[in-house]
């Protein structure tokens, strides 16, 4: 059976990269004595699939991965056993047995939302809220997006589903699909570049709130809903 697990990543473990997080949970599942299924062949591995990777240094309360299990006592027993072996910063928040028709976590991701605060080292313009609002409400935001292999011009506005200023923080709901992933730091770097603001090293503190899939009717819902 396939089970989807939701977890948080906060505190010092925010500096672990995605591969280290994967290795950590592989070991945690063994320590918790979870009856996970393994692949066949000469080098069997745990059947596990993570959703959208989180950038190093970011925190989150909306991370997910899927596992194939041979047996399951109960969802409560699964979460309790995993949390008993978690280190500080990781916590299993929820879990759900998936229908056979459900796609894997990585393929299901359509969007994610974030709350971003600013480093004390960043000298914000006095009118940054008004200027950010105007930036977001443009009809189009043409920008060059670079990848490891190439770069291309995109309309950044298409990947920003929602942007709100909440006090001294910025909320964003962004496209997180595998081929069109938009990061909150990229949005704000583009904005501050347009204001000629010089950014210090590590100017933003980013917290992912939730990761979403798109239903048949087009609505976005959490990966566990």
């Amino acid at each position: 059976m396939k089970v989807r697990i939701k977890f948080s990543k906060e505190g010092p473990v925010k500096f672990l990269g995605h591969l280290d997080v994967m290795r950590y949970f592989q070991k945690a599942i063994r320590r918790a004595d979870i009856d996970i299924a393994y692949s066949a062949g000469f080098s069997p591995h745990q059947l596990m699939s993570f959703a959208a990777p989180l950038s190093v240094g970011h925190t989150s309360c909306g991370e997910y991965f899927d596992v194939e299990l041979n047996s399951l006592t109960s969802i409560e027993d699964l979460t309790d056993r995993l949390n008993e072996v978690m280190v500080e910063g990781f916590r299993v928040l929820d879990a759900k047995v998936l229908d056979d028709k459900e796609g894997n976590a990585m393929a299901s991701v359509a969007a994610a939302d974030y709350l971003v605060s600013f480093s004390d080292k960043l000298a914000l313009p006095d009118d940054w809220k008004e200027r950010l609002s105007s930036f977001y409400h443009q009809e189009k935001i043409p920008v060059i997006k670079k990848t490891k292999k190439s770069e291309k011009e995109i309309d950044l506005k298409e990947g920003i589903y929602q942007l709100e200023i909440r006090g001294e923080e910025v909320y964003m709901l962004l496209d997180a699909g595998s081929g069109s992933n938009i990061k909150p730091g990229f949005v704000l770097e583009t904005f501050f570049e347009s204001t000629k603001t010089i950014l210090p090293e590590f100017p933003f503190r980013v917290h992912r709130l939730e990761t979403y899939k798109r239903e048949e009717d087009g609505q976005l819902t959490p990966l566990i809903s």
Side-chain angles (χ1 to χ4, degrees), residues 4-10 13 16-18 20-22 24-25 48-54 58-67 79 82-83 86-87 89-95 105 207-211 223-224:
R4 180 160 295 161
I5 296 172
K6 180 180 182 179
F7 67 96
S8 58
K9 182 186 181 188
E10 302 184 88
V13 298
L16 291 180
H18 181 60
D20 289 326
V21 172
M22 291 176 61
Y24 170 78
F25 274 97
M48 178 185 297
S49 171
F50 278 75
L54 186 68
H58 295 184
T59 58
S60 175
C61 55
E63 300 303 289
Y64 293 87
F65 67 96
D66 295 345
V67 290
T79 56
L82 282 172
N83 279 327
M86 291 290 108
V87 298
F90 285 125
R91 182 164 183 80
V92 173
L93 304 175
D94 200 359
H207 182 72
R208 181 184 280 168
L209 299 168
E210 186 55 271
T211 306
L223 289 186
I224 290 181

Side-chain angles (χ1 to χ4, degrees), residues 10-214:
E10 302 184 88
V13 298
K14 70 181 182 180
F15 297 111
L16 291 180
H18 181 60
L19 292 178
D20 289 326
V21 172
M22 291 176 61
R23 284 190 283 264
Y24 170 78
F25 274 97
Q26 290 168 354
K27 294 176 181 178
I29 284 173
R30 289 197 293 269
R31 289 197 302 270
D33 197 25
I34 304 299
D35 189 16
I36 190 169
Y38 283 78
S39 63
F42 293 104
S43 182
H45 59 271
Q46 295 177 358
L47 296 178
M48 178 185 297
S49 171
F50 278 75
L54 186 68
S55 296
V56 174
H58 295 184
T59 58
S60 175
C61 55
E63 300 303 289
Y64 293 87
F65 67 96
D66 295 345
V67 290
E68 291 275 356
L69 300 182
N70 295 314
S71 63
L72 175 67
T73 304
S74 68
I75 288 295
E76 292 76 14
D77 178 63
L78 173 68
T79 56
D80 288 346
R81 286 163 66 177
L82 282 172
N83 279 327
E84 286 176 1
V85 302
M86 291 290 108
V87 298
E88 179 184 355
F90 285 125
R91 182 164 183 80
V92 173
L93 304 175
D94 200 359
K96 178 184 178 181
V97 177
L98 299 178
D99 295 333
D100 292 339
K101 62 181 181 180
E102 187 89 30
N104 67 44
M106 180 176 291
S108 299
V109 173
D113 58 357
Y114 306 85
L115 199 59
V116 183
S117 57
F118 301 110
S119 165
D120 295 337
K121 298 179 181 179
L122 174 56
L124 292 166
D126 292 338
D127 60 347
W128 73 269
K129 295 181 182 180
E130 292 80 7
R131 295 172 76 170
L132 179 58
S133 180
S134 297
F135 171 82
Y136 170 58
H137 285 100
Q138 296 177 91
E139 185 176 343
K140 291 185 176 181
I141 307 175
V143 65
I144 300 297
K145 184 180 180 184
K146 296 180 181 180
T147 66
K148 292 181 179 179
K149 296 183 179 179
S150 64
E151 58 181 47
K152 63 178 180 178
E153 182 175 300
I154 65 167
D155 180 6
L156 185 59
K157 182 65 179 288
E158 293 180 351
I160 307 174
Y161 299 145
Q162 188 177 350
L163 188 150
E164 297 176 1
I165 297 164
R166 298 181 177 179
E168 300 304 311
E169 298 178 313
V170 179
Y171 168 84
M172 284 181 272
L173 175 62
L174 304 175
D175 186 341
S178 60
S180 52
N181 182 40
I182 300 296
K183 296 183 179 181
F186 181 60
V187 175
L188 290 175
E189 286 166 5
T190 302
F191 162 66
F192 282 114
E193 183 178 349
S194 72
T195 69
K196 309 301 181 184
T197 300
I198 297 175
L199 295 177
E201 193 174 18
F202 310 119
F204 315 122
R205 293 185 289 270
V206 178
H207 182 72
R208 181 184 280 168
L209 299 168
E210 186 55 271
T211 306
Y212 300 91
K213 59 184 177 180
R214 194 176 298 279

